[in-house]
Amino acid sequence: MTGQRQAQKERTRARILSEACRLFTERGFEAVTLADILAAAGVTKGGFYHHFTDKKAVFRAAFVAVSADIECRLSARAAGATDPRLALILAFDGFFDIICAEPGLHRLIYRDGLMVLGWSDWIAVSRSHCLETSESAIRALAAAGRLRSRHPDLLGTMLMAASDYLADDILGENGVRLQALDAARAAMREMIELYCAPA
């Protein structure tokens, strides 16, 4: 395959994935058909099947891409902090900001993601793409002797699980509940302070 054909193939896959991410985020997995994805991406069934086996496969790729993008944004949010404890706070504040601004992402990752992928695959992808920022800060705190936990390897997962449940509370049936958002921020900071000693 020539370099030009390979580049075209990669652009087509990226376009399918981009449109699938948008549709799944806007409507949810069940409401999106394969025909919707084909029309949005401007590809034929044959072109789609050259890259993905079915709707579930493109959803999994979208799930990975969205998870990695959120992690990248949280990493950028925390990057300015010289104190790893502050980096944790900034990262989880950033998570709540993203969920409030783009609630469809929460549905894609935590509701549709679990339904479509199942627990084992969902947790494997989450651990691969959603924990680096928090675990990096936790490692730095442990190295500095500032971690009040005998299970630092589990702390990142615990904090992520707490933030997921709090996000569900923030996103009420009628949109973002600002009182719940304030409470979620405060609760996450309390939890971080419980495990992480100040400098």
Tab-separated table of all heavy atoms in Angstrom, residues 33-83:
chain	number	residue	atom	x	y	z
A	33	THR	N	-27.914	4.606	14.856
A	33	THR	CA	-27.870	3.437	13.985
A	33	THR	C	-26.581	3.458	13.162
A	33	THR	O	-25.926	4.497	13.034
A	33	THR	CB	-29.065	3.415	13.018
A	33	THR	OG1	-28.942	4.533	12.118
A	33	THR	CG2	-30.387	3.505	13.774
A	34	LEU	N	-26.266	2.309	12.599
A	34	LEU	CA	-25.108	2.246	11.715
A	34	LEU	C	-25.321	3.170	10.520
A	34	LEU	O	-24.387	3.843	10.068
A	34	LEU	CB	-24.872	0.805	11.247
A	34	LEU	CG	-23.645	0.574	10.366
A	34	LEU	CD1	-22.375	1.060	11.044
A	34	LEU	CD2	-23.536	-0.894	9.997
A	35	ALA	N	-26.552	3.253	10.039
A	35	ALA	CA	-26.863	4.145	8.916
A	35	ALA	C	-26.570	5.599	9.280
A	35	ALA	O	-26.098	6.379	8.431
A	35	ALA	CB	-28.322	3.971	8.506
A	36	ASP	N	-26.845	5.994	10.530
A	36	ASP	CA	-26.544	7.353	10.980
A	36	ASP	C	-25.044	7.635	10.880
A	36	ASP	O	-24.618	8.714	10.436
A	36	ASP	CB	-26.982	7.557	12.435
A	36	ASP	CG	-28.476	7.505	12.627
A	36	ASP	OD1	-29.219	7.856	11.679
A	36	ASP	OD2	-28.913	7.110	13.722
A	37	ILE	N	-24.246	6.676	11.315
A	37	ILE	CA	-22.788	6.847	11.293
A	37	ILE	C	-22.286	6.928	9.858
A	37	ILE	O	-21.454	7.782	9.523
A	37	ILE	CB	-22.099	5.698	12.063
A	37	ILE	CG1	-22.517	5.719	13.535
A	37	ILE	CG2	-20.579	5.808	11.939
A	37	ILE	CD1	-22.068	4.495	14.330
A	38	LEU	N	-22.802	6.054	8.983
A	38	LEU	CA	-22.385	6.065	7.585
A	38	LEU	C	-22.716	7.400	6.933
A	38	LEU	O	-21.881	7.975	6.215
A	38	LEU	CB	-23.089	4.938	6.816
A	38	LEU	CG	-22.841	3.501	7.268
A	38	LEU	CD1	-23.620	2.527	6.391
A	38	LEU	CD2	-21.367	3.159	7.250
A	39	ALA	N	-23.918	7.906	7.180
A	39	ALA	CA	-24.331	9.174	6.575
A	39	ALA	C	-23.482	10.331	7.089
A	39	ALA	O	-23.048	11.190	6.312
A	39	ALA	CB	-25.809	9.422	6.858
A	40	ALA	N	-23.250	10.367	8.389
A	40	ALA	CA	-22.485	11.462	8.972
A	40	ALA	C	-21.035	11.464	8.496
A	40	ALA	O	-20.439	12.521	8.257
A	40	ALA	CB	-22.531	11.380	10.500
A	41	ALA	N	-20.458	10.267	8.362
A	41	ALA	CA	-19.055	10.150	7.951
A	41	ALA	C	-18.891	10.164	6.432
A	41	ALA	O	-17.772	10.315	5.933
A	41	ALA	CB	-18.448	8.870	8.520
A	42	GLY	N	-19.998	9.993	5.694
A	42	GLY	CA	-19.922	9.983	4.233
A	42	GLY	C	-19.193	8.775	3.685
A	42	GLY	O	-18.401	8.885	2.750
A	43	VAL	N	-19.476	7.602	4.292
A	43	VAL	CA	-18.831	6.370	3.831
A	43	VAL	C	-19.891	5.313	3.527
A	43	VAL	O	-21.013	5.386	4.023
A	43	VAL	CB	-17.832	5.808	4.877
A	43	VAL	CG1	-16.686	6.774	5.114
A	43	VAL	CG2	-18.535	5.456	6.181
A	44	THR	N	-19.501	4.344	2.734
A	44	THR	CA	-20.378	3.218	2.426
A	44	THR	C	-20.243	2.161	3.513
A	44	THR	O	-19.323	2.209	4.344
A	44	THR	CB	-19.996	2.583	1.079
A	44	THR	OG1	-18.664	2.054	1.194
A	44	THR	CG2	-20.061	3.603	-0.046
A	45	LYS	N	-21.143	1.174	3.485
A	45	LYS	CA	-21.015	0.062	4.426
A	45	LYS	C	-19.674	-0.642	4.255
A	45	LYS	O	-19.021	-1.006	5.228
A	45	LYS	CB	-22.152	-0.954	4.217
A	45	LYS	CG	-23.425	-0.611	4.941
A	45	LYS	CD	-24.410	-1.776	4.848
A	45	LYS	CE	-25.687	-1.458	5.601
A	45	LYS	NZ	-26.645	-2.587	5.547
A	46	GLY	N	-19.281	-0.843	3.004
A	46	GLY	CA	-18.002	-1.491	2.742
A	46	GLY	C	-16.840	-0.699	3.323
A	46	GLY	O	-15.906	-1.274	3.894
A	47	GLY	N	-16.918	0.639	3.185
A	47	GLY	CA	-15.870	1.487	3.752
A	47	GLY	C	-15.834	1.396	5.269
A	47	GLY	O	-14.757	1.367	5.878
A	48	PHE	N	-17.017	1.322	5.866
A	48	PHE	CA	-17.085	1.184	7.327
A	48	PHE	C	-16.497	-0.142	7.774
A	48	PHE	O	-15.665	-0.191	8.683
A	48	PHE	CB	-18.534	1.307	7.790
A	48	PHE	CG	-18.711	1.073	9.268
A	48	PHE	CD1	-18.585	2.109	10.168
A	48	PHE	CD2	-18.993	-0.207	9.764
A	48	PHE	CE1	-18.734	1.896	11.532
A	48	PHE	CE2	-19.141	-0.430	11.111
A	48	PHE	CZ	-19.012	0.621	12.002
A	49	TYR	N	-16.941	-1.228	7.126
A	49	TYR	CA	-16.506	-2.562	7.546
A	49	TYR	C	-15.026	-2.816	7.276
A	49	TYR	O	-14.452	-3.751	7.837
A	49	TYR	CB	-17.368	-3.634	6.884
A	49	TYR	CG	-18.776	-3.703	7.443
A	49	TYR	CD1	-19.884	-3.593	6.614
A	49	TYR	CD2	-18.979	-3.854	8.813
A	49	TYR	CE1	-21.178	-3.645	7.131
A	49	TYR	CE2	-20.256	-3.915	9.336
A	49	TYR	CZ	-21.358	-3.810	8.494
A	49	TYR	OH	-22.627	-3.856	9.020
A	50	HIS	N	-14.426	-1.975	6.466
A	50	HIS	CA	-12.982	-2.072	6.260
A	50	HIS	C	-12.225	-1.676	7.533
A	50	HIS	O	-11.086	-2.095	7.733
A	50	HIS	CB	-12.561	-1.166	5.103
A	50	HIS	CG	-11.152	-1.347	4.670
A	50	HIS	ND1	-10.708	-2.493	4.048
A	50	HIS	CD2	-10.073	-0.533	4.788
A	50	HIS	CE1	-9.415	-2.376	3.801
A	50	HIS	NE2	-9.007	-1.204	4.231
A	51	HIS	N	-12.892	-0.892	8.407
A	51	HIS	CA	-12.246	-0.378	9.618
A	51	HIS	C	-12.823	-0.958	10.911
A	51	HIS	O	-12.104	-1.123	11.902
A	51	HIS	CB	-12.369	1.151	9.661
A	51	HIS	CG	-11.705	1.832	8.520
A	51	HIS	ND1	-10.353	2.069	8.466
A	51	HIS	CD2	-12.213	2.315	7.357
A	51	HIS	CE1	-10.037	2.676	7.339
A	51	HIS	NE2	-11.150	2.847	6.643
A	52	PHE	N	-14.118	-1.245	10.926
A	52	PHE	CA	-14.795	-1.713	12.138
A	52	PHE	C	-15.723	-2.871	11.798
A	52	PHE	O	-16.350	-2.876	10.741
A	52	PHE	CB	-15.599	-0.579	12.781
A	52	PHE	CG	-14.783	0.627	13.138
A	52	PHE	CD1	-14.766	1.749	12.322
A	52	PHE	CD2	-14.008	0.643	14.292
A	52	PHE	CE1	-14.004	2.862	12.650
A	52	PHE	CE2	-13.235	1.743	14.630
A	52	PHE	CZ	-13.236	2.859	13.803
A	53	THR	N	-15.834	-3.815	12.715
A	53	THR	CA	-16.666	-4.993	12.443
A	53	THR	C	-18.158	-4.705	12.604
A	53	THR	O	-18.980	-5.318	11.926
A	53	THR	CB	-16.285	-6.153	13.366
A	53	THR	OG1	-16.364	-5.719	14.738
A	53	THR	CG2	-14.865	-6.629	13.081
A	54	ASP	N	-18.520	-3.777	13.503
A	54	ASP	CA	-19.928	-3.477	13.747
A	54	ASP	C	-20.044	-2.208	14.600
A	54	ASP	O	-19.034	-1.566	14.909
A	54	ASP	CB	-20.635	-4.655	14.430
A	54	ASP	CG	-19.935	-5.108	15.713
A	54	ASP	OD1	-19.150	-4.333	16.295
A	54	ASP	OD2	-20.168	-6.263	16.134
A	55	LYS	N	-21.272	-1.867	14.962
A	55	LYS	CA	-21.507	-0.646	15.742
A	55	LYS	C	-20.837	-0.729	17.113
A	55	LYS	O	-20.299	0.255	17.617
A	55	LYS	CB	-23.016	-0.403	15.900
A	55	LYS	CG	-23.346	0.951	16.533
A	55	LYS	CD	-24.835	1.224	16.570
A	55	LYS	CE	-25.476	0.704	17.805
A	55	LYS	NZ	-26.828	1.252	18.055
A	56	LYS	N	-20.843	-1.918	17.699
A	56	LYS	CA	-20.205	-2.083	19.000
A	56	LYS	C	-18.695	-1.817	18.916
A	56	LYS	O	-18.112	-1.210	19.811
A	56	LYS	CB	-20.460	-3.487	19.553
A	56	LYS	CG	-19.827	-3.731	20.905
A	56	LYS	CD	-20.170	-5.109	21.447
A	56	LYS	CE	-19.457	-5.378	22.768
A	56	LYS	NZ	-19.788	-6.712	23.317
A	57	ALA	N	-18.075	-2.252	17.831
A	57	ALA	CA	-16.627	-2.050	17.668
A	57	ALA	C	-16.289	-0.573	17.537
A	57	ALA	O	-15.303	-0.091	18.121
A	57	ALA	CB	-16.122	-2.825	16.456
A	58	VAL	N	-17.095	0.172	16.775
A	58	VAL	CA	-16.805	1.601	16.646
A	58	VAL	C	-17.141	2.322	17.953
A	58	VAL	O	-16.484	3.299	18.317
A	58	VAL	CB	-17.529	2.230	15.428
A	58	VAL	CG1	-19.010	2.426	15.668
A	58	VAL	CG2	-16.878	3.565	15.064
A	59	PHE	N	-18.133	1.818	18.687
A	59	PHE	CA	-18.411	2.409	19.997
A	59	PHE	C	-17.216	2.222	20.929
A	59	PHE	O	-16.833	3.148	21.651
A	59	PHE	CB	-19.656	1.803	20.653
A	59	PHE	CG	-19.908	2.351	22.025
A	59	PHE	CD1	-20.633	3.516	22.193
A	59	PHE	CD2	-19.376	1.736	23.156
A	59	PHE	CE1	-20.831	4.058	23.460
A	59	PHE	CE2	-19.566	2.262	24.416
A	59	PHE	CZ	-20.305	3.427	24.571
A	60	ARG	N	-16.636	1.020	20.922
A	60	ARG	CA	-15.474	0.780	21.795
A	60	ARG	C	-14.329	1.730	21.445
A	60	ARG	O	-13.671	2.288	22.325
A	60	ARG	CB	-14.996	-0.670	21.698
A	60	ARG	CG	-13.922	-0.991	22.733
A	60	ARG	CD	-13.360	-2.391	22.571
A	60	ARG	NE	-12.523	-2.758	23.719
A	60	ARG	CZ	-11.271	-2.326	23.888
A	60	ARG	NH1	-10.721	-1.513	22.992
A	60	ARG	NH2	-10.580	-2.702	24.956
A	61	ALA	N	-14.099	1.922	20.147
A	61	ALA	CA	-13.051	2.845	19.719
A	61	ALA	C	-13.382	4.274	20.156
A	61	ALA	O	-12.486	5.029	20.577
A	61	ALA	CB	-12.867	2.769	18.211
A	62	ALA	N	-14.651	4.643	20.084
A	62	ALA	CA	-15.065	5.971	20.535
A	62	ALA	C	-14.882	6.107	22.040
A	62	ALA	O	-14.425	7.147	22.535
A	62	ALA	CB	-16.529	6.211	20.154
A	63	PHE	N	-15.212	5.066	22.769
A	63	PHE	CA	-15.053	5.049	24.225
A	63	PHE	C	-13.586	5.270	24.606
A	63	PHE	O	-13.261	6.075	25.480
A	63	PHE	CB	-15.549	3.707	24.761
A	63	PHE	CG	-15.366	3.497	26.230
A	63	PHE	CD1	-16.283	3.991	27.140
A	63	PHE	CD2	-14.269	2.794	26.723
A	63	PHE	CE1	-16.120	3.793	28.501
A	63	PHE	CE2	-14.096	2.590	28.080
A	63	PHE	CZ	-15.021	3.099	28.968
A	64	VAL	N	-12.684	4.576	23.923
A	64	VAL	CA	-11.250	4.732	24.181
A	64	VAL	C	-10.810	6.153	23.845
A	64	VAL	O	-10.087	6.799	24.617
A	64	VAL	CB	-10.429	3.699	23.377
A	64	VAL	CG1	-8.936	4.015	23.434
A	64	VAL	CG2	-10.691	2.292	23.896
A	65	ALA	N	-11.245	6.658	22.689
A	65	ALA	CA	-10.832	7.994	22.257
A	65	ALA	C	-11.330	9.077	23.212
A	65	ALA	O	-10.580	9.994	23.578
A	65	ALA	CB	-11.341	8.258	20.840
A	66	VAL	N	-12.577	8.973	23.628
A	66	VAL	CA	-13.145	9.968	24.542
A	66	VAL	C	-12.463	9.891	25.909
A	66	VAL	O	-12.127	10.915	26.506
A	66	VAL	CB	-14.669	9.765	24.673
A	66	VAL	CG1	-15.232	10.540	25.850
A	66	VAL	CG2	-15.366	10.182	23.390
A	67	SER	N	-12.234	8.687	26.400
A	67	SER	CA	-11.551	8.513	27.689
A	67	SER	C	-10.153	9.114	27.652
A	67	SER	O	-9.733	9.821	28.582
A	67	SER	CB	-11.473	7.032	28.054
A	67	SER	OG	-12.748	6.468	28.194
A	68	ALA	N	-9.426	8.841	26.570
A	68	ALA	CA	-8.062	9.367	26.434
A	68	ALA	C	-8.071	10.889	26.325
A	68	ALA	O	-7.200	11.567	26.881
A	68	ALA	CB	-7.388	8.742	25.220
A	69	ASP	N	-9.069	11.434	25.637
A	69	ASP	CA	-9.157	12.894	25.494
A	69	ASP	C	-9.444	13.558	26.840
A	69	ASP	O	-8.842	14.592	27.171
A	69	ASP	CB	-10.253	13.259	24.485
A	69	ASP	CG	-10.426	14.764	24.358
A	69	ASP	OD1	-9.480	15.422	23.878
A	69	ASP	OD2	-11.485	15.275	24.767
A	70	ILE	N	-10.354	12.981	27.611
A	70	ILE	CA	-10.644	13.537	28.936
A	70	ILE	C	-9.402	13.492	29.807
A	70	ILE	O	-9.052	14.472	30.478
A	70	ILE	CB	-11.813	12.789	29.606
A	70	ILE	CG1	-13.120	13.093	28.864
A	70	ILE	CG2	-11.929	13.174	31.085
A	70	ILE	CD1	-14.303	12.298	29.369
A	71	GLU	N	-8.697	12.369	29.792
A	71	GLU	CA	-7.477	12.244	30.585
A	71	GLU	C	-6.445	13.279	30.166
A	71	GLU	O	-5.771	13.878	31.006
A	71	GLU	CB	-6.899	10.836	30.451
A	71	GLU	CG	-5.597	10.616	31.207
A	71	GLU	CD	-5.744	10.724	32.717
A	71	GLU	OE1	-6.879	10.645	33.236
A	71	GLU	OE2	-4.715	10.902	33.387
A	72	CYS	N	-6.334	13.523	28.870
A	72	CYS	CA	-5.397	14.532	28.360
A	72	CYS	C	-5.768	15.919	28.873
A	72	CYS	O	-4.897	16.699	29.270
A	72	CYS	CB	-5.409	14.489	26.829
A	72	CYS	SG	-4.175	15.550	26.072
A	73	ARG	N	-7.055	16.223	28.879
A	73	ARG	CA	-7.500	17.532	29.373
A	73	ARG	C	-7.269	17.680	30.876
A	73	ARG	O	-6.890	18.754	31.351
A	73	ARG	CB	-8.977	17.740	29.039
A	73	ARG	CG	-9.218	17.987	27.561
A	73	ARG	CD	-10.588	18.572	27.335
A	73	ARG	NE	-11.565	17.562	27.006
A	73	ARG	CZ	-12.876	17.811	26.888
A	73	ARG	NH1	-13.342	19.024	27.117
A	73	ARG	NH2	-13.711	16.844	26.577
A	74	LEU	N	-7.469	16.594	31.618
A	74	LEU	CA	-7.226	16.647	33.058
A	74	LEU	C	-5.735	16.798	33.347
A	74	LEU	O	-5.341	17.530	34.264
A	74	LEU	CB	-7.771	15.397	33.735
A	74	LEU	CG	-9.279	15.178	33.624
A	74	LEU	CD1	-9.686	13.951	34.423
A	74	LEU	CD2	-10.056	16.396	34.066
A	75	SER	N	-4.913	16.142	32.562
A	75	SER	CA	-3.467	16.255	32.720
A	75	SER	C	-3.016	17.700	32.482
A	75	SER	O	-2.192	18.230	33.226
A	75	SER	CB	-2.762	15.309	31.743
A	75	SER	OG	-1.365	15.447	31.846
A	76	ALA	N	-3.578	18.322	31.440
A	76	ALA	CA	-3.231	19.716	31.152
A	76	ALA	C	-3.691	20.638	32.283
A	76	ALA	O	-2.997	21.591	32.649
A	76	ALA	CB	-3.865	20.139	29.832
A	77	ARG	N	-4.843	20.325	32.839
A	77	ARG	CA	-5.392	21.131	33.938
A	77	ARG	C	-4.483	21.051	35.169
A	77	ARG	O	-4.275	22.040	35.865
A	77	ARG	CB	-6.788	20.613	34.277
A	77	ARG	CG	-7.519	21.332	35.386
A	77	ARG	CD	-8.158	22.611	34.875
A	77	ARG	NE	-8.957	23.230	35.899
A	77	ARG	CZ	-10.280	23.203	35.934
A	77	ARG	NH1	-10.952	22.540	35.025
A	77	ARG	NH2	-10.929	23.821	36.888
A	78	ALA	N	-3.953	19.862	35.435
A	78	ALA	CA	-3.137	19.655	36.632
A	78	ALA	C	-1.668	20.022	36.428
A	78	ALA	O	-0.914	20.129	37.399
A	78	ALA	CB	-3.242	18.191	37.064
A	79	ALA	N	-1.264	20.212	35.173
A	79	ALA	CA	0.158	20.372	34.861
A	79	ALA	C	0.781	21.606	35.509
A	79	ALA	O	1.975	21.617	35.814
A	79	ALA	CB	0.358	20.426	33.348
A	80	GLY	N	-0.010	22.638	35.745
A	80	GLY	CA	0.542	23.863	36.310
A	80	GLY	C	0.802	23.806	37.806
A	80	GLY	O	1.417	24.720	38.370
A	81	ALA	N	0.354	22.741	38.457
A	81	ALA	CA	0.491	22.647	39.916
A	81	ALA	C	1.855	22.077	40.282
A	81	ALA	O	2.248	21.025	39.781
A	81	ALA	CB	-0.612	21.770	40.487
A	82	THR	N	2.581	22.776	41.149
A	82	THR	CA	3.862	22.249	41.629
A	82	THR	C	3.662	21.279	42.785
A	82	THR	O	4.523	20.458	43.071
A	82	THR	CB	4.774	23.406	42.080
A	82	THR	OG1	4.081	24.195	43.053
A	82	THR	CG2	5.136	24.290	40.892
A	83	ASP	N	2.515	21.355	43.438
A	83	ASP	CA	2.188	20.471	44.555
A	83	ASP	C	1.282	19.348	44.041
A	83	ASP	O	0.205	19.624	43.496
A	83	ASP	CB	1.471	21.271	45.647
A	83	ASP	CG	1.094	20.429	46.854
A	83	ASP	OD1	1.343	19.197	46.834
A	83	ASP	OD2	0.553	20.992	47.814
